[in-house]
Amino acid sequence: MALLDEIAAPRDLRGLSPAQLSQLASEIREVMIDAVCRSGGHLGPNLGVVELTIALHRVFDSPQDTLLWDIGHQTYVQKLLTGRRAGFDGLRTRDGLSGYASRAESEHDVIENSHASTALSYADGLARARELSGDTDRAVVAVIGDGALTGGLAWEALNNLGGAPQRPVIVVLNDNERSYAPTVGGLAAHLGKLRSATGDGASANVFEEFGFGYVGPVDGHDIAAVEDALGRARALGGPVVVHVVTEKGRGWETAETNDLDRCHVVRATPPATAPPATAAPASSPAWTAVFSDEMVRIGADRSDVVAITAAMAEPVGLLEFQREFPARTIDVGIAEQHAAAAAAGLALGGLHPVLAIYATFGNRMIDQMVTDIALHSAPVTLVMDRAGVTGDDGASHNGMWDLTLFQAVPDIRIAAPRDGATLRALLREAVAWEQGPTVLRFPKGTTGADIPAIDTTDGFDVLHNAPGRDVLIVSVGPMARLALDVAGRLGEAGVGATVVDPRWVTPVNPTLVEAAAYFKHVITIEDSGRVGGVGAAFGQALADAGIDTPVRNFGLPREFLDHGSRAQVLAHCGLTAEGVTDAVLTRMTSERTLTS
């Protein structure tokens, strides 16, 4: 029997010998490499924290002591050590284990926010609560990566923690010199000096200046050394930083030799017994790839266009732009708020910045979009990748709040391309707009074949036009395919439907509002939240114009959606051709009954 199979809870770790601990670490890596290569997920980060996680659970008594992980995708090892080994093969699948920390799965998973730089604030609040209630015997330990310290929120927490010498919070700095990409900026240089020092406190460091005790640097792959450092930190009392040096991707040559991201994320590989997958047609590149290619073309045409990334140049499609125009590519680290405010400064300096980010992380910069960008009418283009349902990464990574949040920003223009061709066109329109901010959003996955318009009127495209003017279908971005399918099904039921793509969904096109008056019904379809989404804005525009055509909005409910494939999550929300068609026909039948 494998040693890992005998570990049902952290207490089972404490009687193991050094040789057994080494064996356990090897087994954990083997299990993760095998399972994650089949399911897909965050492999490199977890390979780097195997020994650290083992040491944490041997020194501290979780859940009596509280372990907080700043990035929930680094908790695969903790899952394996806390009774979830049997379900690990179902990682990131519908009804299987989450790819992040999950409070529903285990009492050892205390927080599940997967956005970086937050754990120290949780730790400060939790420690304060226990201090006020007299519950001071339980340790609070926060594990945070060096890359996450480029986020301003982390320093707000450090400021508060360091100013409370009586508050015994242990900050474990997991220093692997990178987040997704190598850590950038002055902090990276400072940590490099600390790593090269010998012994504890070889020179003054920023953490001691903030009021923390400091232990390290320590080899994060030496379990005994990490345990000793953690024990000393606990004995010191007060806030302490334990500086642990690890290697992302440790123990897997494929990751160790991958200089780009150390296999930060690996894609699922179908089992050997599965039938060979049909190759995607050449006309179906990834949305990100289309954006990447067009950005390079735009960069060649316009020397004033600069690109900004928050430590994710390759995932958001800016790597090729960076290679072509390194001086015009800015990596700010994990600092989305700074990225947005800096973009405003670049615009004030006469440049046109394109800030590319995952839609879920765009939530963090809404204040900067309002008061730093829009208030100054700064021509900044925000490109949000993975907008809408992303699926297997779960609730925190669905990009479903962007339209609700950003539609509230005055004078903003938001575009949602339906295919690769419209992505290219809308991106060029966005960077050509100099009167204020623009947003371009597109989903995860491939574009599919281009969907041609049969007509274009005052900025919106007509994709399908059946006689009858029974239903006007306003589709948002990639939901055009679903809208066309629904129109076909309605036609088979004797209902005439017209499908339009607004292209620019904000502000609402007044000509499209006027057109809605000639239809009996309007439905909107979007892969974003129904509350405050495009459908809600369109319905408000109709009401403001005195048009009483009833509007039915199809989109995502106001709830956190469980992980699963994009198709599974959309189906759960009723966003299928069958579901939308049935809902429309049922409503039309009900209205006929009421008026008969």
Side-chain angles (χ1 to χ4, degrees):
M1 176 183 287
L3 186 58
L4 179 58
D5 293 335
E6 300 177 9
I7 306 299
R11 62 178 176 272
D12 298 328
L13 298 170
R14 295 181 190 125
L16 300 182
S17 68
Q20 288 175 312
L21 291 173
S22 178
Q23 176 187 340
L24 177 64
S26 296
E27 290 180 8
I28 288 173
R29 285 192 169 91
E30 290 174 4
V31 167
M32 289 198 300
I33 292 168
D34 177 66
V36 179
C37 283
R38 284 186 283 108
S39 68
H42 294 84
L43 185 52
N46 285 284
L47 292 172
V49 298
V50 174
E51 290 84 3
L52 172 58
T53 308
I54 292 172
L56 283 166
H57 280 286
R58 278 170 55 86
V59 172
F60 298 101
D61 182 20
S62 175
Q64 175 67 18
D65 294 326
T66 303
L67 304 182
L68 306 173
W69 290 85
D70 188 67
I71 299 293
H73 68 232
Q74 276 192 307
T75 57
Y76 292 7
V77 184
Q78 179 162 289
K79 290 175 188 284
L80 290 170
L81 299 178
T82 54
R84 286 171 275 180
R85 168 68 183 94
F88 200 73
D89 289 340
L91 188 72
R92 300 173 80 243
T93 60
R94 189 74 172 174
D95 299 322
L97 290 181
S98 168
Y100 291 80
S102 170
R103 290 160 60 89
E105 287 179 9
S106 173
E107 60 184 347
H108 298 279
D109 293 2
V110 181
I111 56 174
E112 52 188 67
N113 180 9
S114 60
H115 293 182
S117 312
T118 63
L120 302 186
S121 296
Y122 280 111
D124 183 44
L126 180 58
R128 286 176 187 267
R130 290 180 179 170
E131 180 183 318
L132 290 171
S133 64
D135 183 13
T136 57
D137 294 331
R138 303 166 62 190
V140 177
V141 183
V143 184
I144 187 168
D146 60 295
L149 285 183
T150 60
L153 181 61
W155 289 94
E156 295 177 29
L158 285 171
N159 178 58
N160 279 270
L161 286 166
Q166 80 287 353
R167 193 166 299 129
V169 171
I170 297 173
V171 175
V172 178
L173 172 57
N174 176 32
D175 180 4
N176 60 23
E177 303 181 55
R178 60 197 304 135
S179 50
Y180 178 92
T183 305
V184 298
L187 174 67
H190 180 68
L191 293 180
K193 291 180 181 179
L194 295 181
R195 287 193 300 271
S196 64
T198 57
D200 292 340
S203 61
N205 63 65
V206 67
F207 305 109
E208 291 176 326
E209 295 297 326
F210 263 67
F212 285 82
Y214 176 81
V215 178
V218 60
D219 181 356
H221 301 294
D222 183 333
I223 295 176
V226 176
E227 289 184 24
D228 177 69
L230 293 173
R232 284 189 287 149
R234 187 168 196 171
L236 285 174
V240 184
V241 169
V242 179
H243 187 176
V244 179
V245 180
T246 63
E247 181 185 7
K248 187 174 181 178
R250 174 86 169 202
W252 190 35
E253 184 178 4
T254 302
E256 291 176 344
T257 58
N258 182 335
D259 291 333
L260 180 63
D261 69 349
R262 301 293 176 88
C263 294
H264 182 82
V265 173
V266 296
R267 292 195 175 99
T269 302
T273 56
T278 302
S283 59
S284 299
W287 289 94
T288 308
V290 175
F291 163 70
S292 174
D293 181 69
E294 195 62 25
M295 268 297 291
V296 173
R297 295 169 185 260
I298 291 172
D301 293 341
R302 287 183 50 177
S303 61
D304 65 321
V305 170
V306 295
I308 307 176
T309 175
M312 299 182 70
E314 191 271 336
V316 299
L318 289 179
L319 186 61
E320 292 305 317
F321 189 95
Q322 184 179 50
R323 288 169 175 165
E324 291 289 329
F325 313 105
R328 289 157 54 192
T329 305
I330 303 163
D331 184 351
V332 300
I334 299 177
E336 294 87 357
Q337 291 173 285
H338 168 69
L346 287 164
L348 291 174
L351 301 177
H352 191 110
V354 176
L355 170 54
I357 199 169
Y358 280 2
T360 182
F361 300 129
N363 301 346
R364 309 182 76 162
M365 43 174 282
I366 184 63
D367 181 55
Q368 285 66 42
M369 181 61 78
V370 173
T371 58
D372 300 312
I373 294 177
L375 183 62
H376 295 88
S377 299
V380 173
T381 295
L382 172 62
V383 174
M384 289 194 288
D385 197 333
R386 302 198 178 197
V389 170
T390 56
D392 46 22
D393 278 331
S396 66
H397 272 52
N398 286 319
M400 56 182 288
W401 295 280
D402 59 307
L403 289 176
T404 299
L405 293 172
F406 289 111
Q407 281 201 127
V409 178
D411 301 322
I412 199 169
R413 290 168 55 80
I414 303 176
R418 65 179 179 269
D419 55 25
T422 53
L423 191 161
R424 292 180 185 274
L426 289 170
L427 178 60
R428 286 193 173 264
E429 291 177 25
V431 297
W433 185 258
E434 296 298 328
Q435 289 93 322
T438 53
V439 175
L440 182 74
R441 74 186 303 268
F442 52 80
K444 180 181 180 180
T446 57
T447 62
D450 289 342
I451 303 172
I454 61 174
D455 192 16
T456 297
T457 303
D458 287 339
F460 66 87
D461 290 340
V462 180
L463 308 182
H464 177 85
N465 194 11
R469 296 191 183 277
D470 292 315
V471 179
L472 174 64
I473 304 177
V474 180
S475 67
V476 176
M479 304 309 282
R481 297 184 196 282
L482 174 59
L484 289 170
D485 195 348
V486 170
R489 291 169 181 254
L490 290 175
E492 293 172 359
V495 175
T498 295
V499 178
V500 297
D501 173 10
R503 301 174 81 250
W504 289 93
V505 296
T506 302
V508 176
N509 189 317
T511 304
L512 187 54
V513 171
E514 294 171 4
Y518 296 94
F519 288 83
K520 299 174 183 175
H521 300 271
V522 173
I523 68 170
T524 64
I525 307 177
E526 58 192 302
D527 60 341
S528 60
R530 293 180 64 241
V531 177
V534 173
F538 195 75
Q540 183 64 56
L542 292 185
D544 291 346
I547 298 171
D548 58 5
T549 305
V551 180
R552 172 74 183 272
N553 305 328
F554 291 90
L556 304 178
R558 187 173 59 181
E559 64 184 57
F560 292 108
L561 302 172
D562 288 339
H563 58 280
S565 70
R566 176 175 164 88
Q568 288 172 328
V569 176
L570 290 175
H572 167 76
C573 299
L575 291 175
T576 63
E578 181 179 8
V580 174
T581 303
D582 287 348
V584 172
L585 292 175
T586 298
R587 178 169 178 172
M588 293 179 71
T589 300
S590 175
E591 289 179 354
R592 290 194 195 103
T593 301
L594 290 173
T595 57
S596 62

